[in-house]
Amino acid sequence: MPDLRFLLKVSRPRFWLYVFGPYIVGLAAAANNQADFLRIENLIFAIYFLFPANLLIYGINDIFDFETDRLNPKKAEYEALVRPESHKSLLIWILIFNLPFAIAAGFTGFKTFLLLLGFVFFSVFYSTPPIRAKARPLIDSLFNILYVFPGLFAYRMMSGQDAPLAIIAAAGLWTMAMHAYSAIPDIEADGEANLETIATSLGKHRTLIFCLILYVASAVLTYQYIGLLSVVLGLVYAVMIFISFYDQEKIFTIYKYFPLLNAASGFALFWFAVWSNIRVFIP
């Protein structure tokens, strides 16, 4: 039996909403009624996008990032440092927890299945050779579109249609900004390990400017769909960037609360989708 506490820690529970949030927003945006929202396949993949999907993302990352992680105090003190002797067993458990859901996705429709494969592809090759996107500046941020796929998967599974292109682009830009900002606290450790990232390449100030541009562009693209909410969210992230820019000592403090900010944003988007499609709660 695996050490479930260890697997849970590797899966980064505080980041679960980064995957689960887009999934439930996608469901809420496409649901026609309450029964639709609670279909059995929706509940099955809700389980997947909580624990197994996050174990895939962060477990693979920890296996291939040991040389960097061992130099990063954040890993030993704030996250999980996965030592080489645990790599093989962790990989096996990642497969055990993920494979049944990949098979189940095959019964949801071909295009929906491809969206799940897209999620797996970007999750795996963000960290692993031959691509190892996280070591390729800008490509590392682009690969964070993996966090958009749960929403696209849910929307397609529920509605049988693809999400609007502007929404996909905006979500992709938002995840790029999320990644770039999260890479700033790791600049020193990544530099010592000779790992190039968007943050090590641009430096703190230019990375923050890069994030601000992406957040503003995302807000502009979503305005036609969510109106004032896009302006509010854009301003919230802009304030975060400005605080970080002028008081860089607070970057790690903000980083620790970053998941809460992103969760609040996802919560707002979820209820906006519900309000826009109020029939979800009307039998």
Side-chain angles (χ1 to χ4, degrees):
M1 290 293 294
D3 183 340
L4 292 178
R5 288 178 299 179
F6 171 72
L7 294 180
L8 189 65
K9 190 173 183 180
V10 168
S11 73
R12 315 280 207 282
R14 71 184 185 283
F15 292 152
W16 281 10
L17 281 177
Y18 284 0
V19 173
F20 184 68
Y23 175 73
I24 62 172
V25 169
L27 290 181
N32 290 315
N33 52 59
Q34 187 175 7
D36 221 17
F37 194 79
L38 297 175
R39 281 169 12 193
I40 185 63
E41 60 266 35
N42 297 340
L43 300 177
I44 289 172
F45 286 101
I47 295 171
Y48 175 69
F49 286 115
L50 280 170
F51 173 67
N54 283 286
L55 183 64
L56 170 70
I57 295 170
Y58 300 112
I60 293 293
N61 178 80
D62 287 347
I63 289 172
F64 286 88
D65 272 18
F66 176 73
E67 291 304 317
T68 303
D69 290 346
R70 67 184 181 85
L71 300 173
N72 190 348
K74 184 185 75 174
K75 297 299 297 187
E77 300 169 9
Y78 189 58
E79 295 178 352
L81 181 64
V82 181
R83 300 191 177 279
E85 58 268 22
S86 301
H87 289 178
K88 183 177 179 180
S89 62
L90 176 56
L91 182 59
I92 290 171
W93 284 111
I94 290 171
L95 289 171
I96 288 173
F97 279 107
N98 278 267
L99 192 56
F101 292 95
I103 294 172
F107 295 94
T108 63
F110 181 67
K111 288 188 176 181
T112 314
F113 177 65
L114 288 181
L115 288 170
L116 188 70
L117 287 187
F119 168 77
V120 172
F121 173 86
F122 285 102
S123 298
V124 170
F125 288 105
Y126 174 74
S127 299
T128 65
I131 298 177
R132 190 161 166 75
K134 72 174 303 172
R136 301 172 184 268
L138 188 57
I139 302 299
D140 56 349
S141 288
L142 286 168
F143 257 62
N144 274 257
I145 197 172
L146 71 92
Y147 293 104
V148 180
F149 276 89
L152 302 182
F153 175 88
Y155 190 87
R156 178 80 201 182
M157 181 172 63
M158 177 72 77
S159 69
Q161 299 177 352
D162 295 322
L165 185 59
I167 293 292
I168 297 173
L173 293 175
W174 188 89
T175 59
M176 287 177 66
M178 178 185 73
H179 166 267
Y181 187 86
S182 297
I184 294 174
D186 296 332
I187 286 177
E188 290 187 12
D190 289 341
E192 289 181 24
N194 295 317
L195 176 64
E196 287 190 83
T197 68
I198 189 72
T200 61
S201 296
L202 296 179
K204 291 180 181 179
H205 285 108
R206 283 182 291 183
T207 301
L208 289 169
I209 293 171
F210 177 71
C211 292
L212 179 61
I213 292 171
L214 294 179
Y215 280 130
V216 170
S218 181
V220 170
L221 285 170
T222 55
Y223 182 78
Q224 63 177 311
Y225 297 98
I226 63 175
L228 182 61
L229 181 58
S230 68
V231 177
V232 172
L233 293 179
L235 286 174
V236 168
Y237 284 100
V239 169
M240 180 192 76
I241 297 299
F242 281 118
I243 292 173
S244 302
F245 193 89
Y246 289 106
D247 190 350
Q248 294 189 41
E249 295 299 320
K250 290 186 177 179
I251 289 179
F252 185 66
T253 300
I254 294 174
Y255 171 80
K256 290 192 292 185
Y257 291 98
F258 200 34
L260 295 177
L261 174 59
N262 291 329
S265 299
F267 182 80
L269 288 169
F270 171 79
W271 283 108
F272 182 89
V274 169
W275 181 258
S276 300
N277 192 8
I278 197 68
R279 289 174 299 167
V280 169
F281 292 104
I282 301 176

